[in-house]
Amino acid sequence: MLNVTVIGSGNVAQHLIRAFTKADGVNVSQAFARKPGNILHLLPEEKIVSDFSLLQYADIYIIAVTDNAITEVSAQLPFKNRLVVHTSGSIPMDELYPHNRRGVFYPLQTFSKKKEVDFSAIPVCLESESAEDYKLLITLANSISAKIFNINSNQRKALHVAAVFASNFTNHLYTLASDICNEHNLPFDILKPLITETSAKVQHLPPAEAQTGPAVRHDSKTIEAHLQLLKEDNQKEIYQILTQSIQAHAEKL
Amino acid sequence: MLNVTVIGSGNVAQHLIRAFTKADGVNVSQAFARKPGNILHLLPEEKIVSDFSLLQYADIYIIAVTDNAITEVSAQLPFKNRLVVHTSGSIPMDELYPHNRRGVFYPLQTFSKKKEVDFSAIPVCLESESAEDYKLLITLANSISAKIFNINSNQRKALHVAAVFASNFTNHLYTLASDICNEHNLPFDILKPLITETSAKVQHLPPAEAQTGPAVRHDSKTIEAHLQLLKEDNQKEIYQILTQSIQAHAEKL
């Protein structure tokens, strides 16, 4: 049985507590939360502490707090030479304070409080200082996911940027599409199957090959008509830049 | 039994022929193709014509050709007062030549030759000049889809722009994410579950509410680090503009 302590009570911490609680071979021995109320629905009260000195021994401590607080929290841990990992895509492993053995346990997914996720489909990116700790992290990751990747800190930084493009920015394009629908009394629902299919296509096809639409066809008449229809400067600018980028990319192929 | 003739042999035409062939209550009586070879795998040879004068009577003629050719093809049809529709998102109904009854049958989906689609989930946007023809179009659309929308030409133009944002542009962001992965020896596979989840989220949550990431958190440290990591000016520019747009949008809420 792997004993795990989760430090943090936000979005990622809650999803991890929920996943580990369901997993075989893993026990959430404690959780640290400044506001215990955040996770009282997930763990019995006696397992939640708000004082670092009350943390008991665990095989792995998972710091799931906001990026800016990771170093500080890791420095406050009142023990040495235990395995401490963070869950961030953008923070290098060595920003963890060095009095403990360090590692990273980065689940690459977009977590919302309002929607449960299926952890088994979530890639977990692992990194550690020693091969022995790496084995522990693999055991932990395997308990909740089938997709495990060995990713070093430099790669993880790039992966995080790629994820911003593939997720945060695409979501914003959905928002702009939804705005355009609202402006013309169209239900956003009409676009939902298209959104699903667009994401489904690139599961099997390289995205550059899946590209369709007026930009890649160099259909300048349609592009011009679209630009005239768009009212907001912001929408126009994004339309133009992405159209140019699609065309420049197609030329490189 | 509704007799339908499909004019065209490209991507959309082929998907429609395939869908109508499987559908109950619909018969693809003929198809017009300049290159019959394109659709010989879908229809028997005797149903494919390359000469407009060989077109027999049908209840509905569907012009599924490239946008720029729609008016010209509709003008060449050697009969009058029959129901002729096009399948384009961006062409107004009245660009069809007026010697026939006019309408639009616009399936809102991204069609690839390489991937089959499930038509039952595809919204079909209908428009016609008369209520009687609209009933015919509903019967036809119902034979392949459960999602039917009454959309006039102005709305359809806006819908097409929204679809470019929600599909063509998001696909390009997947391409940029894939490029970033390649540049850092990361498998694009790691991002696929994230892409699926991002599109799944907005099926139930308004996209503005689903927004996550450094931009909406105003995490300027991470944003700065991402910009430094990006090598191509194009990637940097898109990162900046979408980050600004996410932040401006969040302020409006």
Side-chain angles (χ1 to χ4, degrees):
Chain A
M1 182 64 76
L2 213 54
N3 281 300
V4 172
T5 290
V6 175
I7 297 168
S9 63
N11 226 341
V12 175
Q14 290 190 25
H15 280 285
L16 286 175
I17 292 170
R18 201 176 280 117
F20 291 136
T21 301
K22 284 186 201 161
D24 290 333
V26 178
N27 172 44
V28 180
S29 49
Q30 284 184 306
F32 176 95
R34 299 228 183 264
K35 295 176 188 163
N38 284 359
I39 51 173
L40 266 174
H41 59 298
L42 297 173
L43 284 176
E45 200 172 353
E46 63 272 19
K47 286 193 169 189
I48 306 171
V49 300
S50 304
D51 183 338
F52 287 117
S53 69
L54 296 175
L55 287 174
Q56 295 158 8
Y57 179 82
D59 298 301
I60 306 173
Y61 297 83
I62 302 178
I63 299 181
V65 301
T66 180
D67 285 2
N68 295 332
I70 289 172
T71 302
E72 193 199 325
V73 166
S74 70
Q76 290 180 358
L77 298 178
F79 44 75
K80 284 181 186 174
N81 203 31
R82 299 187 190 166
L83 180 53
V84 174
V85 303
H86 73 64
T87 59
S88 165
S90 52
I91 302 293
M93 179 172 68
D94 62 12
E95 290 198 19
L96 290 168
Y97 205 74
H99 64 317
N100 280 297
R101 288 142 44 211
R102 301 178 291 188
V104 177
F105 187 96
Y106 170 45
L108 181 66
Q109 190 51 280
T110 166
F111 296 104
S112 309
K113 284 211 176 94
K114 294 190 188 173
K115 188 172 181 303
E116 232 185 298
V117 295
D118 171 17
F119 246 102
S120 64
I122 296 182
V124 182
C125 304
L126 302 180
E127 184 180 9
S128 69
E129 294 181 295
S130 77
E132 212 162 319
D133 285 343
Y134 195 75
K135 275 184 207 160
L136 272 180
L137 293 180
I138 283 193
T139 305
L140 182 65
N142 264 331
S143 77
I144 56 172
S145 170
K147 299 182 178 186
I148 295 166
F149 294 88
N150 182 359
I151 302 286
N152 68 36
S153 288
N154 277 335
Q155 285 179 307
R156 197 174 56 254
K157 211 184 275 183
L159 184 58
H160 191 236
V161 180
V164 167
F165 278 85
S167 175
N168 304 154
F169 288 168
T170 59
N171 186 78
H172 185 59
L173 294 181
Y174 301 153
T175 301
L176 297 179
S178 166
D179 289 350
I180 295 164
C181 285
N182 286 340
E183 287 160 16
H184 295 86
N185 291 317
L186 292 159
F188 180 59
D189 278 353
I190 307 189
L191 291 178
K192 289 179 178 175
L194 179 69
I195 285 171
T196 301
E197 173 64 13
T198 304
S199 69
K201 255 183 173 180
V202 297
Q203 306 293 317
H204 309 288
L205 211 61
E209 279 183 38
Q211 189 65 51
T212 57
V216 75
R217 285 199 312 269
H218 287 266
D219 177 352
S220 50
K221 197 180 150 197
T222 299
I223 292 167
E224 198 44 55
H226 285 180
L227 285 169
Q228 284 189 354
L229 183 136
L230 291 170
K231 287 170 197 162
E232 309 243 358
D233 287 346
N234 182 41
Q235 296 168 348
K236 274 187 207 288
E237 191 184 19
I238 290 170
Y239 189 101
Q240 278 170 318
I241 281 168
L242 289 174
T243 294
Q244 285 160 12
S245 182
I246 288 170
Q247 294 180 344
H249 204 281
E251 272 168 34
K252 280 193 292 182
L253 290 184
Chain B
M1 181 66 72
L2 212 55
N3 281 301
V4 171
T5 290
V6 175
I7 297 169
S9 63
N11 226 341
V12 175
Q14 290 190 27
H15 279 286
L16 286 175
I17 291 171
R18 200 176 281 118
F20 290 137
T21 302
K22 285 185 200 161
D24 290 334
V26 178
N27 172 45
V28 180
S29 49
Q30 284 183 308
F32 176 94
R34 299 228 184 263
K35 297 174 186 164
N38 284 0
I39 51 173
L40 266 174
H41 59 299
L42 297 174
L43 285 175
E45 200 172 351
E46 64 271 20
K47 286 193 170 189
I48 307 171
V49 300
S50 304
D51 182 338
F52 289 119
S53 70
L54 296 176
L55 287 175
Q56 295 159 8
Y57 179 84
D59 297 301
I60 305 173
Y61 297 83
I62 301 178
I63 300 181
V65 301
T66 181
D67 285 2
N68 296 332
I70 288 172
T71 302
E72 194 199 323
V73 166
S74 70
Q76 289 180 359
L77 297 177
F79 45 74
K80 284 182 187 176
N81 203 31
R82 300 187 190 168
L83 179 54
V84 174
V85 302
H86 73 65
T87 60
S88 166
S90 52
I91 302 292
M93 180 171 70
D94 62 13
E95 290 197 19
L96 289 167
Y97 205 76
H99 63 318
N100 280 297
R101 288 141 45 210
R102 300 178 290 188
V104 177
F105 187 96
Y106 170 45
L108 181 65
Q109 189 51 279
T110 167
F111 296 104
S112 309
K113 283 207 175 100
K114 295 188 186 173
K115 190 172 181 302
E116 231 185 297
V117 295
D118 170 18
F119 245 104
S120 64
I122 297 182
V124 182
C125 304
L126 302 180
E127 184 180 9
S128 69
E129 293 180 297
S130 76
E132 212 163 318
D133 286 341
Y134 195 76
K135 276 186 205 158
L136 272 179
L137 293 180
I138 283 194
T139 305
L140 182 65
N142 264 331
S143 76
I144 56 172
S145 170
K147 298 180 179 188
I148 296 166
F149 294 87
N150 181 359
I151 303 286
N152 68 35
S153 288
N154 277 335
Q155 285 179 307
R156 198 174 56 254
K157 211 184 275 183
L159 184 58
H160 191 237
V161 180
V164 167
F165 278 85
S167 175
N168 304 153
F169 289 168
T170 60
N171 185 77
H172 185 60
L173 294 180
Y174 301 154
T175 301
L176 297 178
S178 167
D179 288 350
I180 295 165
C181 285
N182 287 340
E183 287 160 17
H184 295 86
N185 292 315
L186 291 159
F188 180 59
D189 279 354
I190 308 189
L191 292 177
K192 288 178 178 173
L194 180 68
I195 285 170
T196 301
E197 173 65 14
T198 304
S199 68
K201 255 181 171 181
V202 296
Q203 305 295 317
H204 309 288
L205 212 62
E209 279 184 37
Q211 189 65 51
T212 57
V216 75
R217 284 200 312 270
H218 287 266
D219 177 352
S220 49
K221 197 180 149 196
T222 299
I223 291 167
E224 197 45 55
H226 285 181
L227 285 169
Q228 285 188 356
L229 184 136
L230 291 170
K231 287 169 196 160
E232 309 242 358
D233 287 347
N234 183 41
Q235 295 169 348
K236 273 187 208 287
E237 191 184 18
I238 290 170
Y239 189 101
Q240 279 171 318
I241 282 169
L242 289 174
T243 293
Q244 285 160 12
S245 182
I246 288 169
Q247 294 179 345
H249 204 282
E251 271 167 35
K252 279 193 291 181
L253 290 182

